[in-house]
Structures are given as structure tokens and as C-alpha cells.
Amino acid sequence: MKKQLLILLTVAVLFGSGCRFLDFVRPGESPVDRLERQCHILEAELENLKKETDNRHDELRKEYAEVKSVLNGIRSEVQSVRGEQEQTAYSLECHLQEFENWRRQQEKAAAAAPKQTTDLPATKEAPVNAALPEVTTGAVENQDEEARSDETAVDETSFYESGRELFDKGDYSGARGIFEQFLKRYPESRQSDNAYFWIGETYYREGRYEKAILKYQEVVDTFPDGNKVPAALLKQGMAFNKINDDINARLIFKRLISSFPDSREAKNADQMLKEL
């Protein structure tokens, strides 16, 4: 009975699959033996399909795990960058508020200070109708402009020095924010090239050498005749060396030595070239 059911099942499979096993007919082989052999073949194929499916599932699981790991890394990086930006913004806001408070205090102190008057000695027998010296409106305006210019210079210097103080204290993020605001407020300042350079220095001190390289390049491109160009080239070469790009490091050091042969930075670059 079992053999009959097996025969019927195999025949159904053969006809259902388009008689794919007719090529397996062997001379002198009984129908029962042939069906049993074909059943073994089917079982082997099913086993192979099962193994292939299991292997594919394993591969998919591995790929899923890798993708998930990458996504988790991206999420972590995004959170880190967001946290750094929030910290920088908060630190900058605090420093700007401190600077604004200091400026207001200076203005109050200047307003409260007594004005100095100079008593002129009386002239003997001054004529009653003596002509008084004319004070032109242009002269008064010039004096006001000079006073405002002096006040702006004081604010500009104080702003710049506040960034340097933060840098010296190791608050590189806060210092960078001050220097960036300084460049926005005083784009024509004589300290602009220094501000760009110190922004590059903050990145260098934080180990963010690619950003430092770009900022040093801004010093070289924007202020080609500035006094910070040799220092920017030296630090740019050092930053390339930090990221194991010795080819560009050599090029930068050689450019520094060629363009500024008498500078202290050129001597340092020459020593570093020998060590590369």
C-alpha cells in the first residue's frame, strides 16, 4: 500500500513538473526502482534548496547587522556634532554677553567721569570787540569722528583679545566663536589675518587637522602679503604630516622655504623636511 502511494505521488510530481525526470530512465530499471531513485534525487534537491535558503538568510542577517551598525554610527556622529554645536553656541553667547556687559560698564564709567576744563589766563587789556576764534562745523564733526574711531578701535582690540584669552585658557571652541564673530563685525580689521590663523589653530589643537588645513589656506589666499603667511604654511605642513600625508607636507614645507627663506618658520620647515 505504501509503495502504491509512493508511486502515485511520484507520478503526480513528474507530471506536475513537466515530466522533468524522463531523461533519467535507465534501461532494464523497474518502474519502482526508477521512482525511488527519482525520489532520492528530489530529496537531495530539496535539501540543497534548504541549505541555499539558510545561507541566504545568514547573509541577509549579516548585511542587516552591518547596515544597522553603520546607521548607529551615523546617529552617534550626528548627536556628537549636534551637541558640539549647541555647546559652541552656548559658550559663544556667554562670552558675547560678558563682552557686552564690559562695554556698557566702560560707557557708564566714561559718562560718569568729570569733564576736565582748562582755564585760559586772562589777557591784559583785551579789547571789548576782539574777534572770537571761529569754530567750524567741520572741525567739530572731525573731532566726533575721531572720538568714535578711537572707541571702535578700543572695542575691536578688546574683542580680539578676548578670543586670545579664551585660546590661552584652552577653550578652543569658545575662542573660535569669538574670532568668527570678530571677522563678521570687523571684516576690514588689520587683525583679520590673525583671526583666521587662530581659528585654524583652534582646529589644530582639537586634532581636526583637515579643517585646520583649510583655514590656514584661507590665510594664504586672502592675505598673501600678510605677516601670518609663513606661520600658516608651517602649520599647514604640520597638519598634513599629522594625517600621514607626507607628500603634501613636503610640498608645503618646500614652498615655505622657497617663498620665505629668511623666516624662522622656514628654518623649522627645513628641519621637519629632514625628519620626513
Side-chain angles (χ1 to χ4, degrees), residues 27-66:
E29 185 179 32
S30 67
V32 174
D33 292 337
R34 185 172 66 251
L35 290 174
E36 287 182 352
R37 178 170 54 80
Q38 291 172 351
C39 285
H40 290 310
I41 293 172
L42 284 173
E43 289 174 355
E45 288 189 357
L46 289 174
E47 187 65 26
N48 289 334
L49 287 173
K50 182 177 181 302
K51 289 180 180 179
E52 291 177 2
T53 304
D54 292 341
N55 291 336
R56 183 55 182 161
H57 285 167
D58 291 339
E59 292 177 1
L60 290 174
R61 280 194 292 268
K62 289 180 181 178
E63 291 176 1
Y64 173 77
E66 291 176 358

Side-chain angles (χ1 to χ4, degrees), residues 51-94:
K51 289 180 180 179
E52 291 177 2
T53 304
D54 292 341
N55 291 336
R56 183 55 182 161
H57 285 167
D58 291 339
E59 292 177 1
L60 290 174
R61 280 194 292 268
K62 289 180 181 178
E63 291 176 1
Y64 173 77
E66 291 176 358
V67 172
K68 187 175 181 180
S69 177
V70 171
L71 289 175
N72 289 337
I74 293 174
R75 289 194 187 99
S76 178
E77 183 69 19
V78 169
Q79 291 176 354
S80 176
V81 171
R82 184 181 291 114
E84 182 180 347
Q85 289 178 341
E86 292 175 353
Q87 182 180 0
T88 301
Y90 176 76
S91 178
L92 177 60
E93 185 66 27
C94 292

